[in-house]
Amino acid sequence: MKDADLSDCFQKSGNAIQLIKYFTNRELSQKLEIKLAKWKRWSREFLPPDPLGGLQSGYARHYHPDEAFRVYLGGCLVADLKFSIPEAKRILSDLETWLEKQGFRFNAEPPEKQNAPEPAKHYLIRVLRNKEQGFWYEIRGIVANKKQVYHDVELKAELYEKTVIDHLGVQQDNRDVNYYKAFNITHLSITFLKHLDISPTHYHALSDVIT
């Protein structure tokens, strides 16, 4: 199969056939404004070897949007939040199931209905850790923000649904947390899609977000 034949592929979803755009290293480097050498390095770290890479001399890897986002997110964890490569790999692995179930995957099945009174507007992921016990995660699905003034002081009330992802098996009351790092996975995803000109309607977690 020629490289040109790989840039666009079809995926059957229900009764509809949807076009998927695949991206090369150079396209992603340019569109995401990341140096090509750095992007390739991140790709080698955060993705398994390309099974087609050894079948054709001079073959250029083509990335499904989900593969590209995994590399992008891993790179953000390293470059912006200053995690090490092994730590970023661990975080990606720990969050993988939640991201898929919540609808942060291209044309994935709709997530299960939540008990919240209305859908979350965006999701904040807090990465917590200590040296002895490792990582765990608190995810806030922000439903609404309300402001009020009390004695000339502006207060903000936040309505959110909370999810904890925890593989440690240690009671949370016994954990010593001095700091955490956080990122807005919703805004990060939208930024990624804007750069690649992909509609957020392909993602259940983003389809109702106003961009």
Side-chain angles (χ1 to χ4, degrees):
M1 182 179 290
K2 297 180 180 179
D3 287 355
D5 297 329
L6 287 171
S7 61
D8 298 292
C9 291
F10 290 94
Q11 173 177 297
K12 190 172 183 179
S13 177
N15 295 324
I17 302 273
Q18 298 184 1
L19 185 66
I20 303 175
K21 170 67 176 178
Y22 280 69
F23 300 90
T24 65
N25 282 310
R26 191 168 299 278
E27 286 178 312
L28 291 168
S29 169
Q30 293 173 348
K31 290 177 180 293
L32 297 172
E33 300 178 352
I34 298 171
K35 291 183 179 179
L36 181 58
K38 179 182 289 187
W39 176 264
K40 288 183 176 180
R41 184 170 66 251
W42 287 350
S43 173
R44 290 192 296 268
E45 295 289 354
F46 298 123
L47 291 179
D50 187 357
L52 299 178
L55 300 180
Q56 179 179 336
S57 177
Y59 169 79
R61 183 165 192 162
H62 287 71
Y63 294 76
H64 183 280
D66 290 343
E67 294 176 317
F69 183 69
R70 180 180 177 87
V71 176
Y72 178 75
L73 178 55
C76 289
L77 293 173
V78 172
D80 298 327
L81 294 184
K82 306 306 179 184
F83 288 106
S84 68
I85 291 289
E87 289 171 340
K89 288 181 178 180
R90 172 63 187 273
I91 293 168
L92 291 175
S93 177
D94 288 346
L95 295 177
E96 184 174 6
T97 298
W98 181 85
L99 288 170
E100 183 173 357
K101 288 185 176 180
Q102 200 59 46
F104 284 93
R105 292 288 182 259
F106 188 90
N107 288 345
E109 293 295 324
E112 296 179 1
K113 292 184 178 180
Q114 304 295 317
N115 294 324
E118 57 182 290
K121 302 295 189 300
H122 58 269
Y123 290 89
L124 297 175
I125 299 180
R126 295 182 174 185
V127 183
L128 303 99
R129 68 173 176 180
N130 60 37
K131 293 182 180 179
E132 292 77 21
Q133 298 162 344
F135 290 106
W136 70 100
Y137 311 87
E138 292 181 358
I139 303 174
R140 292 190 176 191
I142 309 300
V143 175
N145 290 310
K146 296 181 180 180
K147 294 181 180 180
Q148 62 184 39
V149 177
Y150 180 76
H151 292 303
D152 296 326
V153 177
E154 186 178 276
L155 303 177
K156 182 178 180 181
E158 190 174 71
L159 180 64
Y160 63 89
E161 55 179 284
K162 180 179 176 180
T163 301
V164 176
I165 299 176
D166 186 350
H167 305 293
L168 300 180
V170 180
Q171 289 187 358
Q172 294 185 27
D173 292 341
N174 297 330
R175 297 176 187 171
D176 182 18
V177 180
N178 293 326
Y179 67 92
Y180 65 85
K181 297 181 181 181
F183 58 96
N184 188 321
I185 187 64
T186 302
H187 289 178
L188 197 63
S189 299
I190 291 173
T191 298
F192 170 81
L193 297 179
K194 282 183 175 179
H195 279 295
L196 299 189
D197 196 25
I198 298 175
S199 171
T201 58
H202 289 289
Y203 298 78
H204 294 292
L206 306 174
S207 58
D208 294 327
V209 177
I210 298 176
T211 60

